[in-house]
Amino acid sequence: MAEALRIGLIGAGAIGAWHARIVAERPDAVLAAICDIDTDRAAKLAAPWGAAVFTDAAAFFAEAALDGVIIASPERVHEEQARLAAAARVPMLIEKPVAPDPAGIAAIRAATASTGVPVMAGHVERFEIGSAQLKAAVDEGVCGKVVTIAARRQFVAADTPRFKGLSTTLRILGVHDFDLVAWVHPVPVVQVYAAAGRGRVHAETGLDDHVVTTLRFADGAIALVESGWTLPAPYGVFSAPASWSPAGNNRLDVFGALGMVSNDMSLRGQQLVAFDEAAGFRAAGIRHQPILNGRVVGALAEEVAAFIRMIREGTEPLVGLDDAERAVRIVEAAEASLASGLPVRLDG
Ligand SMILES: NC(=O)c1ccc[n+]([C@@H]2O[C@H](COP(=O)([O-])OP(=O)(O)OC[C@H]3O[C@@H](n4cnc5c(N)ncnc54)[C@H](O)[C@@H]3O)[C@@H](O)[C@H]2O)c1
């Protein structure tokens, strides 16, 4: 077997912890180093696998002898970290959104193009079986000419305080679906209109509670994307079963001239639920990073597997900077629409 790849991680937070575990569980990779400005957090995550700990990204790239890096820090620092990775010639997987705005993505493109270092975008929905099979069905013509797409992504608000002042509802949630709908229907988006419902989440964190975005494609098709923190707390805040992550209320429906395809991951369509007197109702989040036989499987592990293959085989990233830019351009237009209250035109 080829030598294990030395993979580093920047950002030992919520999603970084999953990436660390997935890398460490792979037989063909080692989690070589973790970099976080919070040393305690990095050290705690690194300890079980003996990964080196850094607080300074420049030292991390200079000393850790990496074959690849997963950048899972907040999006406002992705650009500077991608520049360091490019200078060190280290292929990178950058969590979504790859940058807060298209200018940030252009800067990452410029830094990496000059060195030829590959960049993969961490759009995990591309690796969900339901999303991928829906895309395949639409490509096969099951719907005929696409008329409308509806996407919903809704969670409890428990996670929002850590994004206060750092991100927005559309960068956290909307970007997943802007990428999905533009992937499923790869026609340029020419107009974006967004409106926000604001309540408790907005008052406490500045994030919009729920955003409804409509997109118009150049061929006349439309999409409706809902992104919200509007599920009641008990739905996703529980302590038992200990191994369950909370589910969301998600769906993706495509309707066309000849038919429809629907990936129902909604409130009433959860595969695994529990209801007991002590804790009430829970639904298990078995999307993205379920655990099977003590290992993380599912979409996030598939995303990391694709990243490892890209490094080993020198292939193009399955999700690249063009995809990242397309999704972030829609985020930017939707946020401009939220600010002005008006539809925003995009150059096809
Ligand atoms: N793919 C997904 O489903 C998914 C899920 C969650 C988050 N994300 C994305 O991942 C990124 C991180 O989100 P999170 O929820 O893990 O956030 P988080 O706040 O839980 O973790 C971020 C970590 O980065 C560290 N950090 C901050 N600035 C840093 C710097 N300059 N250098 C090194 N480390 C730094 C913080 O100390 C923290 O440990 C965001 O861009 C987010 O949108 C993606």
Side-chain angles (χ1 to χ4, degrees):
M1 193 176 177
E3 208 164 302
L5 292 181
R6 292 177 58 79
I7 304 297
L9 169 74
I10 307 183
I15 200 70
W18 285 105
H19 280 295
R21 179 172 171 179
I22 289 167
V23 169
E25 287 176 353
R26 289 188 64 88
D28 57 357
V30 290
L31 181 68
I34 299 180
C35 175
D36 198 298
I37 49 174
D38 182 332
T39 325
D40 291 346
R41 192 178 284 183
K44 204 167 157 209
L45 185 61
W49 300 295
V53 173
F54 294 85
T55 48
D56 175 53
F60 166 83
F61 283 112
E63 295 167 29
L66 299 175
D67 298 307
V69 63
I70 298 175
I71 299 180
S73 48
E75 59 266 20
R76 75 197 141 81
V77 294
H78 289 177
E79 180 189 327
E80 68 184 66
Q81 293 168 348
R83 282 180 195 280
L84 291 172
R89 304 282 199 274
V90 177
M92 63 201 96
L93 167 62
I94 309 180
E95 260 301 343
K96 50 56 57 179
V98 165
D101 50 37
I105 294 193
I108 293 173
R109 196 191 288 280
T112 53
S114 59
T115 53
V117 176
V119 183
M120 180 170 158
H123 288 190
V124 68
E125 280 290 349
R126 301 287 193 101
F127 299 90
E128 276 295 340
I129 293 169
S131 305
Q133 293 297 324
L134 178 144
K135 156 84 172 154
V138 173
D139 285 353
E140 243 181 72
V142 170
C143 306
K145 182 175 170 5
V146 171
V147 175
T148 186
I149 306 175
R152 171 183 283 166
R153 185 170 306 261
Q154 190 183 19
F155 292 101
V156 298
D159 249 7
T160 52
R162 76 172 193 277
F163 294 112
K164 185 176 181 178
L166 297 178
S167 196
T168 65
T169 297
L170 290 177
R171 286 193 217 152
I172 302 163
L173 301 181
V175 70
H176 281 293
D177 296 294
F178 296 153
D179 175 57
L180 263 189
V181 299
W183 180 51
V184 167
H185 190 57
V187 170
V189 172
V190 294
Q191 183 178 288
V192 179
Y193 174 68
R198 290 178 177 159
R200 190 170 56 82
V201 174
H202 187 258
E204 291 173 3
T205 68
L207 299 178
D208 293 321
D209 293 57
H210 202 105
V211 183
V212 174
T213 307
T214 59
L215 312 178
R216 181 169 290 284
F217 295 87
D219 64 354
I222 55 167
L224 168 68
V225 175
E226 279 189 68
S227 321
W229 308 105
T230 28
L231 283 183
Y235 190 81
V237 182
F238 53 79
S239 57
S243 61
W244 284 23
S245 313
N249 180 29
N250 301 343
R251 63 183 304 146
L252 181 64
D253 300 323
V254 184
F255 299 90
L258 302 177
M260 62 170 283
V261 189
S262 174
N263 184 22
D264 184 353
M265 309 154 277
S266 67
L267 214 51
R268 296 183 188 185
Q270 300 294 349
Q271 188 177 334
L272 188 61
V273 300
F275 206 159
D276 65 52
E277 289 189 5
F281 175 83
R282 280 94 62 218
I286 49 178
R287 305 183 73 237
H288 297 354
Q289 54 257 347
I291 294 168
L292 182 67
N293 298 329
R295 297 168 76 88
V296 184
V297 297
L300 197 68
E302 285 297 325
E303 179 185 287
V304 172
F307 177 54
I308 300 278
R309 276 199 307 277
M310 180 193 85
I311 300 171
R312 277 210 189 283
E313 297 166 15
T315 47
E316 287 294 306
L318 279 179
V319 192
L321 283 175
D322 288 349
D323 305 279
E325 183 181 352
R326 181 174 63 184
V328 169
R329 286 183 76 219
I330 300 172
V331 170
E332 183 181 64
E335 291 189 333
S337 174
L338 282 178
S340 68
L342 298 170
V344 170
R345 290 203 63 78
L346 276 176
D347 306 331

